[in-house]
Each structure stands twice: as structure tokens, then as C-alpha cells.
Amino acid sequence: MDQESFFQRGKSNNKYWFGISINLLFIVFEVICGVFAGSLALVTDAIHNLVDVLGLVIAFVAVILIKRKPTKHHTYGFYNTTILAAFTNSLILVASLAIVIWEAFLRLMNPEDHVNGWIVVIVALTGVVINGLTAYIFHRGSKRDLNEKANYWHFFADALISLCVVFAGFIINFTNWVILDPLVSIFAAVFILFESWRVLCRAFSLVTNGVPDNISENEVEKYLLSFPEIEKINDVHIWALSTTEVAISAHLQCNRPADYMKILDDATDGLRKKFDIDHVTLQLETSDKKHKESKI
């Protein structure tokens, strides 16, 4: 069975089980080798991989919860658990990277006498394969889901960082410049921190009901005002229900009360097709003063 059919959207659980399993095995292998080789770079990478696995677990729980039906207490269901998962993962990652950078600075102040460069190279090469494969299975979903985007960037960055560790291992093996080990750790942590900060900011925006990055409120208003029957728009609210679902509510002031149903259907259909907003709530208001008074 090829990758596309095994990890297709209908079987999205497979990618999480696969990613969690192979990375847990690699973490155990990497910690053992890192301690044996005296390499902070390997232990650093193992810690970050553990955080990534925790992120996968949290994201997986969110994927399961989002499939639950709405209740009287959670009328929207559990869509926003995916947003909370992305935000939580980013917070954990930023905190762990801060610890890694601190430990690397301590190692710079008191460098190890010896680092087994060949073990570093072998383990890091294994990391390139494991992290690269994990990033690959989340690549397609990263285009539409912030959760999978976070997972993709984490593991893609890990793969690149593992290449840096391979490079450092080769140099250490021939020159015994053990100071490269903590330097690579700092470089790796800063690089991941940069990418993670962007995901954290985006997740925070969604948590606080910000307009999703892929939607422009001005463009939405411009589209609605393109209808000749709509004179004015009031109380526009656009927010994310999940990392993939968007909702909108708005009051539309119209000049043709008789065409309300057609206007409502056309505007709703257009928002879904043009902006991929599936949850649309529009309230039509007449601009006719007499009609307003008759409604009171």
C-alpha cells in the first residue's frame, strides 16, 4: 500500500500512530547513544523529539475529540481542541528549547573532554531518515491544518538539524573540536525557536478568536458589498472554530426585502466557495424605515 492511500485523510489516525511509534523508538536509541558518546547535541535532539512526540499525542487527541458530536453543553462540538493543541504544543516547544539553549551554554563554559564523533554521525543520519519520513507524512495536511503544519515544521526542522549534527560529528572526529557539539545544539534550538514562534503567534491569534491568516476581512466585506441589494454591513465577525473550520456572522442591510431568501442563499454560497467559510450566519436587515417600523 502506497503512502497516499495509507495516510489518506479518511485514515488520518494512521499517520499519528506511525509518527509516534517510530519516534519513540528513535528517542530511546538516541538517548542511549548520546550518553555513551558524551554528545549534548544528540541528547538535545532526543529531548526535542520527545516534545514533538508529545505534540503528536496532543494533536492526535484533538483529532479524536473533533469527531465527537456536539452536545447541549458544547453546541459547536470540540472543534477548537485542535487550536488548543497547536497552541499548547508551541508553548511546550518554546519552553523546552529555552532549557536546551541554557544547557548548551553551560556545556560551552565547561566542555566535555571527548565526544565520540562517529556515534554522533551514525545516530544523526538515522535521525535524518526518521524525522524526514515523519515530516513527509504530515506535509500534505500542513497546507490546510495548523496542527499538521506544526508537526510538519517540527520534524522537517529536526531533519535539517540532524544534518548539521552529522556535519559537526565529522569535524569532531577529525579535529576533536568538541566545542562544536554545544554550538550545534544552540544553532539547532534557535532555528527551531524561530519557526515555532511563528506557529505560536498564529495559534494564539486563533485562540483569541482572531481572523485566520488565509482570510482577509476587507476582502470578505468587499465581496458582500458587491451584491447590488446589499447597502451596508454591520457587526462582521470572522473566527476559527478549529485549525481547518472557519465561521462568520454579519448583519447585512438590504434594499429589497422581497429578495431576502435569494440574497441570503447567494451570499452564503459565495462565502463558502470563494473563502472556504463553511459556518455562515447572516442576518438580513431592511433599509426601508417603514418596513423596520412594521417589525417592531
Side-chain angles (χ1 to χ4, degrees):
M1 184 178 294
D2 60 6
Q3 186 268 350
E4 191 65 31
S5 58
F6 185 74
F7 298 118
Q8 60 182 294
R9 191 172 185 180
K11 299 180 179 179
S12 60
N13 290 359
N14 291 334
K15 68 176 70 174
Y16 287 97
W17 283 119
F18 181 78
I20 292 170
S21 300
I22 64 171
N23 279 279
L24 281 177
L25 291 174
F26 177 64
I27 287 169
V28 174
F29 172 70
E30 191 170 28
V31 168
I32 293 174
C33 293
V35 172
F36 181 77
S39 171
L40 179 63
L42 290 182
V43 176
T44 296
D45 194 52
I47 293 173
H48 180 242
N49 269 285
L50 182 61
V51 175
D52 283 344
V53 170
L54 177 61
L56 283 180
V57 172
I58 294 174
F60 189 23
V61 172
V63 168
I64 294 174
L65 287 176
I66 201 174
K67 295 177 182 178
R68 295 184 60 182
K69 295 181 179 180
T71 65
K72 290 183 178 180
H73 186 65
H74 293 88
T75 56
Y76 265 128
F78 296 85
Y79 283 109
N80 64 352
T81 55
T82 56
I83 299 175
L84 291 174
F87 182 65
T88 302
N89 290 341
S90 300
L91 280 178
I92 294 174
L93 182 58
V94 169
S96 67
L97 290 174
I99 296 174
V100 165
I101 293 173
W102 174 250
E103 290 294 332
F105 273 117
L106 291 180
R107 182 66 70 91
L108 279 175
M109 301 296 294
N110 299 284
E112 292 290 329
D113 294 332
H114 178 71
V115 174
N116 192 319
W118 288 120
I119 293 181
V120 173
V121 170
I122 293 172
V123 176
L125 281 174
T126 306
V128 172
V129 175
I130 297 296
N131 292 318
L133 180 59
T134 307
Y136 175 65
I137 65 176
F138 284 101
H139 177 261
R140 185 180 181 187
S142 67
K143 299 177 181 179
R144 62 174 180 271
D145 191 328
L146 184 61
N147 245 338
E148 297 201 10
K149 185 181 182 67
N151 293 327
Y152 166 72
W153 272 109
H154 286 178
F155 288 103
F156 179 74
D158 281 349
L160 292 179
I161 290 164
S162 293
L163 284 176
C164 294
V165 174
V166 171
F167 176 73
F170 271 116
I171 295 180
I172 290 173
N173 197 57
F174 291 107
T175 66
N176 200 32
W177 292 350
V178 293
I179 196 173
L180 279 179
D181 188 66
L183 285 177
V184 167
S185 298
I186 294 174
F187 170 78
V190 171
F191 178 82
I192 302 170
L193 186 61
F194 176 76
E195 292 296 337
S196 300
W197 184 256
R198 294 168 59 186
V199 178
L200 175 62
C201 291
R202 185 177 174 189
F204 179 76
S205 176
L206 297 186
V207 167
T208 54
N209 292 328
V211 178
D213 290 346
N214 62 320
I215 295 177
S216 168
E217 182 178 357
N218 290 334
E219 290 299 319
V220 171
E221 291 186 4
K222 185 185 298 184
Y223 169 73
L224 291 174
L225 289 173
S226 68
F227 287 83
E229 302 88 354
I230 298 177
E231 295 181 337
K232 188 178 180 182
I233 304 174
N234 301 307
D235 297 325
V236 179
H237 301 287
I238 304 172
W239 72 99
L241 293 176
S242 72
T243 51
T244 58
E245 302 284 337
V246 182
I248 183 175
S249 66
H251 292 188
L252 308 180
Q253 184 173 304
C254 304
N255 56 20
R256 296 182 186 176
D259 296 334
Y260 270 15
M261 293 308 300
K262 184 179 184 306
I263 297 170
L264 183 63
D265 289 343
D266 290 345
T268 300
D269 187 58
L271 288 171
R272 288 172 175 167
K273 291 180 178 179
K274 188 176 180 64
F275 299 97
D276 200 24
I277 302 178
D278 292 324
H279 299 266
V280 180
T281 303
L282 300 177
Q283 180 176 329
L284 301 181
E285 301 172 341
T286 180
S287 57
D288 187 343
K289 185 176 179 179
K290 292 182 179 180
H291 185 76
K292 284 184 180 180
E293 293 174 348
S294 66
K295 291 171 63 179
I296 299 177

